[in-house]
Amino acid sequence: MMTMIGITLKGIFRDRVFQGIMVTACAFLLIPVIASLSMRQVTELSVTLSLSLISFILLLLSVFLGGTSLWKDIDRRYTFSVLGLPLSRQSYLLGRFCGTALFVMLSAAVLGAAAFAVVCYSSAIYPADRPIIWSTMALCILFDALKYILLIAVAFLLSTVSTSFFLPVFGTIAMFFAGGVAQQVHEYILSPASESISPVVRQIANGLYYLLPNFEAFDLKVNAIYGLPLPTGGLLLTLGYFFVYVTFLLSVSTAIFSRRELR
Amino acid sequence: MNAIEITDLCKQFTGKKRVRIDALKNINLQVETGEIFGFLGPNGAGKSTTIKIIMGLLRPSSGTARILGVHSGLAASRLRVGFLPENPAFFDYLSAEEYVGFVGSQFKMDDGLLKRRSEDVLKRLDLWDARRRPIRSYSKGMVQRVGLAQALVHDPDIYILDEPMSGLDPIGRALVKDIILELKNQGKCVFFSTHITDDVEKVCDRVGVIVRGALVALDRVENILKSGVEGYLVHLRLSEDVPAVFGGFEAVRRSGAISEFYVPCPAFNSFMGTVNTSGTEVVLVETRRRNLEDFFLSLVSVGRESG
Amino acid sequence: MKTASTALICIVIYSFLMVPFTTYLHKKPFVEKLGYVPSVTALKIVSADHKELVAASLVLKVLMYFGGQVEKPESQIHIPPDYMAMSRMLHGAVKLDPYNMDAYYFAQSFLTWDVKQYKMANDLLAYGMKYRTWDWYLPFLAGFNHAYFLKDYGKAAEYYKRAGELSGSDLSRLLAGRYMQESGQTDLAIAYLSAMEKGERNPSVKKNFRLRMTAFQEVRRIEVARERYLAERGVAPPSLDVLVRDGMLVPPPKDPYGGEFYIGSDGRVSTTSKFAFAGAGRDTTSKESK
């Protein structure tokens, strides 16, 4: 499995994904310029833009790396040669997943460093109203990365049942949005404003709320941007949620993939 | 213990419009250790399906496949196997050297041995100069050779090669035949599929013929060749001015004093009796037999009629 | 060769096309430029985890649009900015990111002075105060609205107190004491505007504040002259012209918004422009109705 992780990382680097990220990361240079358009919150705006840029890049990575990793191996028939080795399908899948997840972490770290530099620069030129809490910002980026690793696990699950890349890629994007609004929808369903909704729909929405990944909890952007205190207990719960959910997704994926016929 | 053991193997696919296709029909097959086994069949007969089941890539609908007694669904069954898939593809961003190294590490080879073996196989398969280039820049034949290199590197006891000669030029084919013969001398077991009879005839101990998912023949190659004798070509020295008819047979060819007569098996003894009594000199007697190709074609056509 | 010439032809056509094309885009109606904000719920879904970014971009969009509008008056084209569309956008922005200071701050600046939607402005500020609990600006702005526009001195004092506590400076306390009366209105406005102008970074918004402050400084000058006239002659000046003629107002006051100052029947100094570009010349009847 370790070699599989190594091979996966090597593949991502050799496919020049990292260079692509670096090119996209050039957008960081524009952030101080755009942020200076703000009236009162230049630093806050540069934090917002940096975090959003990181989040966006990680989203692209997780959708495309996560959604195409297995599909590509099956489509290009790499699976025949690799799974002909004494490598269990479980180690193969987990190796692929961990390699991709590691790459997302790595990218988050590099992009995070760039974001720190940008925010440092912005706040040096236009002193901020609010204190910048660097640890909050780092945690925000970390939880963002965790969120996208969860999304990669979703992409892998979809890949194990699909024969084309449409389901993994578009399914993952759909899941990303669904997971983002799950909490809002849930709260709406619980609010009195939803009384007109039929109980069946309400039950379905409720079921989906517990089934779909909940990405809301991973979003610490507001805390990072405005230096708001972090909910420590909530973060620990989120961390627990992350591990349980990812493990669940991966075990289902492994079960499906182990039974899959490679024709 | 048999190297490969296939028992009552059936495989059904669900095709378009929910039509069930019997890809394999009750295959029984044992390949012994130290045996070179040719798996012969026309395209689409089920060769690759069988091999994929042996390698655990497909699950049988019923029946089992075992390698050295281990069920083929388990990764452990492949521990002593070198496998070359049909039209292989390997992580194309790696170089041949890296890929062979990756395979070696999967077989838990230690670094020194791996390095030595890797150099050996890459040189043997003429990939040494290209070893640092990514596989995506390789020609089809080179990729095929990488496939052989990665099957050989860990020096397994059993080789399962799906169409090892395809995509290779004549030099490459000769190389592969040499390698298989070498493995035979080392006492390894090689199970390979092909649709080219000549390959089988030259290197195999035994051959199995699969037609439309059914194993229609399974025998030693020499037996097939022996059973296929149809007649003899007898070269006689006859003076040029007598008509080239002898013992009721007309010469099929004459060149100078030598005339060639084709005598089918049943008439051979009486023909030779005539030769003896006439005191004619026998220059050469050649056996005329159906080759494996004819044998194969007859099996395929029978299969076709019955199917 | 052929592809090269095709490319060349395309470049030529492109350069010809660009002139009318850019002109067309430039002349597009402003409302269209500002765009319409889709429902906040939809925005929330689409923006996924980028709500803060979408909020900031809405604010920036409004700012850029407004920046373009402020430049215009100097070329004597008076089209009032579409304040309601701006307000809608900023309200959308704070729904997405209730912490976005720019949105509150900017909405306040035009909702009160230009559109006179005091209630809307105060509601927005109250909404913001729920989130930005550390920010003294919001109660400061609310206090000013209550004192200057609504003349609700009790409420204003409450807000100023809160602003003072949060800021730790005596700015708000100063304001609270001195200007809590009708006569102090102009000073209150000048103090407010100078505080806002100092803290401002956006050039077009800063310019806007300075312009308004200049107008109020002119009003203050007229008021001083009016008081002097009253003290010297014992009667209120019959008109502004009298003050100018008698040399009490040198140089004559000039409304940066292009209107004309006048002294109303109640003695208050006003201007025909109502401290806005849109006001000047649009209705001169306002003088009578005042």
Side-chain angles (χ1 to χ4, degrees), chain C residues 11-54:
Chain C
I11 291 170
V12 172
I13 296 173
Y14 178 80
S15 48
F16 275 113
L17 206 61
M18 270 330 265
V19 179
F21 185 64
T22 48
T23 324
Y24 155 72
L25 285 178
H26 195 69
K27 283 186 178 157
K28 263 176 104 170
F30 289 113
V31 195
E32 222 168 288
K33 267 192 187 172
L34 194 53
Y36 301 96
V37 195
S39 86
V40 177
T41 322
L43 265 185
K44 263 189 180 167
I45 294 170
V46 176
S47 55
D49 61 342
H50 298 273
K51 294 184 187 68
E52 295 81 12
L53 175 76
V54 175

Side-chain angles (χ1 to χ4, degrees), chain C residues 240-251:
Chain C
L240 199 74
D241 300 338
V242 177
L243 292 174
V244 178
R245 197 189 54 211
D246 291 2
M248 288 187 181
L249 210 51
V250 183

Side-chain angles (χ1 to χ4, degrees), chain A residues 11-104:
Chain A
I12 296 171
F13 278 100
R14 296 262 169 98
D15 282 341
R16 305 223 166 79
V17 176
F18 196 72
Q19 283 95 320
I21 293 177
M22 287 297 109
V23 171
T24 322
C26 287
F28 271 117
L29 297 175
L30 288 175
I31 286 178
V33 183
I34 300 170
S36 69
L37 293 175
S38 167
M39 297 188 293
R40 292 269 159 155
Q41 43 177 20
V42 175
T43 309
E44 286 91 332
L45 188 56
S46 32
V47 178
T48 307
L49 293 172
S50 305
L51 292 179
S52 272
L53 183 58
I54 292 177
S55 196
F56 181 67
I57 293 176
L58 294 185
L59 172 66
L60 288 185
L61 281 182
S62 47
V63 167
F64 288 102
L65 292 182
T68 61
S69 177
L70 285 188
W71 167 77
K72 204 161 79 178
D73 281 2
I74 295 170
D75 189 61
R76 296 195 183 166
R77 305 182 311 117
Y78 296 155
T79 39
F80 293 148
S81 48
V82 177
L83 295 176
L85 302 172
L87 176 75
S88 71
R89 293 201 186 177
Q90 177 177 342
S91 333
Y92 163 78
L93 187 106
L94 292 182
R96 272 287 189 224
F97 174 78
C98 292
T100 317
L102 212 59
F103 183 76
V104 164

Side-chain angles (χ1 to χ4, degrees), chain A residues 38 40-41 55 130 147 226, chain C residues 49 97 100 102 105 137:
Chain A
S38 167
R40 292 269 159 155
Q41 43 177 20
S55 196
R130 294 293 291 165
K147 173 172 73 184
Y226 300 102
Chain C
D49 61 342
D97 177 5
N100 193 311
D102 282 351
Y105 176 71
Y137 256 110

Side-chain angles (χ1 to χ4, degrees), chain B residues 62 67 70 105 117 119 175 210 214:
Chain B
S62 66
I67 302 175
V70 183
S105 71
R117 287 285 304 165
E119 187 176 337
L175 180 67
I210 184 170

Side-chain angles (χ1 to χ4, degrees), chain C residues 24-177:
Chain C
Y24 155 72
L25 285 178
H26 195 69
K27 283 186 178 157
K28 263 176 104 170
F30 289 113
V31 195
E32 222 168 288
K33 267 192 187 172
L34 194 53
Y36 301 96
V37 195
S39 86
V40 177
T41 322
L43 265 185
K44 263 189 180 167
I45 294 170
V46 176
S47 55
D49 61 342
H50 298 273
K51 294 184 187 68
E52 295 81 12
L53 175 76
V54 175
S57 71
L58 285 178
V59 175
L60 284 186
K61 199 168 175 175
V62 173
L63 265 178
M64 282 185 196
Y65 162 73
F66 181 71
Q69 288 292 305
V70 170
E71 300 310 315
K72 288 279 152 51
E74 269 136 47
S75 50
Q76 296 302 310
I77 311 165
H78 295 321
I79 307 164
D82 187 347
Y83 287 118
M84 285 336 282
M86 286 163 64
S87 160
R88 274 198 303 277
M89 274 209 165
L90 295 177
H91 274 85
V94 296
K95 285 271 157 49
L96 288 172
D97 177 5
Y99 294 93
N100 193 311
M101 183 54 193
D102 282 351
Y104 295 115
Y105 176 71
F106 187 49
Q108 150 75 14
S109 77
F110 70 82
L111 279 180
T112 50
W113 292 103
D114 300 284
V115 204
K116 316 221 180 309
Q117 294 285 346
Y118 310 120
K119 170 125 179 36
M120 195 189 267
N122 284 334
D123 287 349
L124 192 66
L125 292 173
Y127 175 76
M129 273 182 254
K130 277 193 288 183
Y131 295 94
R132 296 182 63 91
T133 47
W134 63 86
D135 191 348
W136 65 270
Y137 256 110
L138 294 173
F140 170 73
L141 298 173
F144 178 77
N145 289 352
H146 280 96
Y148 186 81
F149 295 112
L150 299 172
K151 317 268 187 277
D152 181 349
Y153 298 112
K155 203 98 175 122
E158 222 171 88
Y159 278 123
Y160 275 138
K161 187 161 165 284
R162 192 164 156 193
E165 279 162 11
L166 285 173
S167 72
S169 82
D170 51 8
L171 165 78
S172 298
R173 238 171 294 144
L174 206 73
L175 283 170

